[in-house]
Amino acid sequence: MILLQLLFSFLQVGLLSIGGGYAALPIIQNQVVDLNHWLTAREFGDIVTISQMTPGPIAINAATFVGTKIAGVPGAIVSTLGTVLPSFVIVLFLAWFYYKYRQLKSIKAVLKGLRPAVTALIAASGVSMIIACFWPDGAVSLNNLNIESFILFAGAFIVLRKFKAGPIKVMIACGLVALIISYI
Amino acid sequence: MKLNHKVLFQLFRSTFSLSAFTFGGGYVIVPLMQKKFVEEYQWIDKYEMMDLVAIAQSSPGAIAINASIIIGYRIQGVIGSVVSVFGTVLPPFLVISIITLCYDWFIQVEAIQTILFGMQAGVCAVICDVVYKMAKDIVSQGEAVYILLMLAAFFLSVVFDVHLLLIIVACGVSGYIFEKKRGETK
């Protein structure tokens, strides 16, 4: 019974969280905290913190966390499945449609307009990530710039562009350099 | 489509390792996928990659999962998308399951915090790198309307906080109108 409830709840999370990332937060909170009282507001804050520190989409992280807490491993599996299922059906249909019709003139025209949009949206999310990274305590000013972040960022960017290094290696290297600096 | 077990395994292995490194969520998966699937494996071209992000972005659910569904479908059909979704979901599933057990310890260890702090700067650089490549590509095509469209979308999103679905729909419609107009004048 509780498994069905979890499934039904996270199906809604999966279906309603359009736009990914933080767009999913209020929907998860509504289902998990307000409607079903599976987590307290504090625990929900914890899961957001954990999500920022661990890989993977926040909806999957929340589903696994809540599922484990409420009904152990079966709960985690059911909740995760519920989160993924709506995307799976909808995106699979769109993928099929895209590969079948992308050579059509009108679809090509629409896609041509979407490419600048995608670039712009990624750039926009990059800007907010850079602000969070360079000014971790919120106030954006030159005096307040986190020098360490800035140097790591600049170094990583040069390595990526000049030496075509793999992104995962660059990310790990940044983490390790930060750790070494903290011991000096 | 004929199933190729070697390719399926490659699909699983790559989505698993990409997902394990998408700290900060959302778009971080894009540069990683671009590097792996466009530049290294050459399974798709860079325009397909952008289309794929647009579809992933405007559908319900997480971008990383949606993008891997499309890649999987492209490479090995429905079975391929099942495999790549499994590969994408597994790392966060395992990590969170473990952390749920030792949350109090995890959140206290300072070394973990420091490493994550440093990785954040690396993630920003990776995003900048891919934006640079994508923007350069659009600029080098030399069509002013699309360069303007890109700038407009950027400012609408950053300065005016316009919802991304609205931006995507508006740009799709603009593309349709521009291309149609061009067809008529020729």
Side-chain angles (χ1 to χ4, degrees):
Chain A
M1 188 58 216
I2 186 72
L3 288 181
L4 270 179
Q5 255 174 306
L6 281 169
L7 180 68
F8 188 64
S9 248
F10 281 99
L11 275 174
Q12 290 177 59
V13 170
L15 189 62
L16 297 176
S17 57
I18 298 178
Y22 295 102
L25 274 182
I27 296 149
I28 301 170
Q29 184 167 24
N30 181 257
Q31 283 294 332
V32 167
V33 182
D34 304 339
L35 290 178
N36 291 301
H37 308 291
W38 284 324
L39 297 184
T40 64
R42 213 199 93 84
E43 285 172 315
F44 183 73
D46 285 347
I47 180 69
V48 176
T49 313
I50 299 178
S51 287
Q52 280 161 345
M53 301 165 48
T54 55
I58 187 153
I60 300 295
N61 294 349
T64 309
F65 187 80
V66 174
T68 309
K69 200 167 158 285
I70 302 299
V73 175
I77 293 172
V78 165
S79 311
T80 307
L81 200 68
T83 314
V84 172
L85 211 56
S87 321
F88 194 78
V89 175
I90 293 166
V91 175
L92 206 56
F93 170 76
L94 290 174
W96 168 82
F97 184 87
Y98 168 73
Y99 283 113
K100 197 166 161 82
Y101 296 109
R102 70 172 160 152
Q103 295 306 335
L104 286 184
K105 230 174 159 189
S106 48
I107 299 289
K108 263 186 164 167
V110 171
L111 288 170
K112 205 164 175 199
L114 289 185
R115 283 168 195 156
V118 167
T119 308
L121 289 172
I122 297 178
S125 98
V127 167
S128 54
M129 286 172 74
I130 284 177
I131 290 174
C133 175
F134 288 1
W135 293 279
D137 48 4
V140 178
S141 76
L142 201 57
N143 299 329
N144 207 15
L145 177 75
N146 188 311
I147 304 288
E148 199 186 319
S149 297
F150 181 76
I151 292 172
L152 275 175
F153 167 83
F157 189 72
I158 291 168
V159 170
L160 279 167
R161 287 234 53 83
K162 286 265 171 227
F163 305 105
K164 311 273 174 229
I168 293 178
K169 281 180 203 144
V170 170
M171 278 154 62
I172 294 175
C174 282
L176 293 179
V177 170
L179 187 66
I180 292 166
I181 291 173
S182 74
Y183 281 116
I184 296 172
Chain B
M1 191 177 285
K2 202 170 166 289
L3 284 181
N4 179 332
H5 292 282
K6 215 177 121 212
V7 172
L8 277 179
F9 179 68
Q10 209 175 10
L11 197 58
F12 175 79
R13 208 183 49 189
S14 49
T15 49
F16 183 91
S17 63
L18 294 188
S19 173
F21 283 93
T22 49
F23 291 88
Y27 291 112
V28 179
I29 196 81
V30 177
L32 300 184
M33 281 189 158
Q34 169 119 0
K35 207 79 182 185
K36 195 77 177 177
F37 298 134
V38 179
E39 291 167 29
E40 195 182 324
Y41 292 168
Q42 294 175 347
W43 280 348
I44 57 173
D45 66 41
K46 58 187 173 184
Y47 300 112
E48 231 175 311
M49 183 73 210
M50 283 192 187
D51 296 344
L52 185 154
V53 175
I55 297 172
Q57 176 66 85
S58 32
S59 313
I63 300 169
I65 299 211
N66 295 353
S68 65
I69 293 171
I70 306 170
I71 292 266
Y73 178 78
R74 167 75 161 83
I75 305 304
Q76 289 279 279
V78 178
I79 302 291
S81 42
V82 172
V83 167
S84 55
V85 166
F86 191 63
T88 307
V89 167
L90 213 51
F93 186 86
L94 294 177
V95 170
I96 295 291
S97 301
I98 294 165
I99 287 181
T100 310
L101 298 175
C102 52
Y103 175 62
D104 294 323
W105 172 83
F106 180 80
I107 207 118
Q108 273 172 16
V109 180
E110 219 158 281
I112 295 179
Q113 301 280 359
T114 311
I115 290 177
L116 289 167
F117 170 78
M119 284 180 79
Q120 220 188 343
V123 171
C124 291
V126 168
I127 292 260
C128 284
D129 181 52
V130 79
V131 167
Y132 176 81
K133 274 185 215 156
M134 287 179 161
K136 197 172 131 195
D137 205 70
I138 286 170
V139 171
S140 69
Q141 286 177 355
E143 294 176 78
V145 276
Y146 290 108
I147 299 171
L148 285 174
L149 198 60
M150 178 169 71
L151 293 174
F154 179 76
F155 282 108
L156 283 176
S157 175
V158 170
V159 181
F160 301 104
D161 216 15
V162 175
H163 197 278
L164 56 92
L165 265 187
L166 216 59
I167 294 177
I168 285 185
V169 171
C171 287
V173 172
S174 311
Y176 184 76
I177 294 170
F178 293 153
E179 295 299 312
K180 206 169 174 201
K181 274 239 162 84
R182 188 193 325 228
E184 280 163 8
T185 49
K186 257 178 197 168

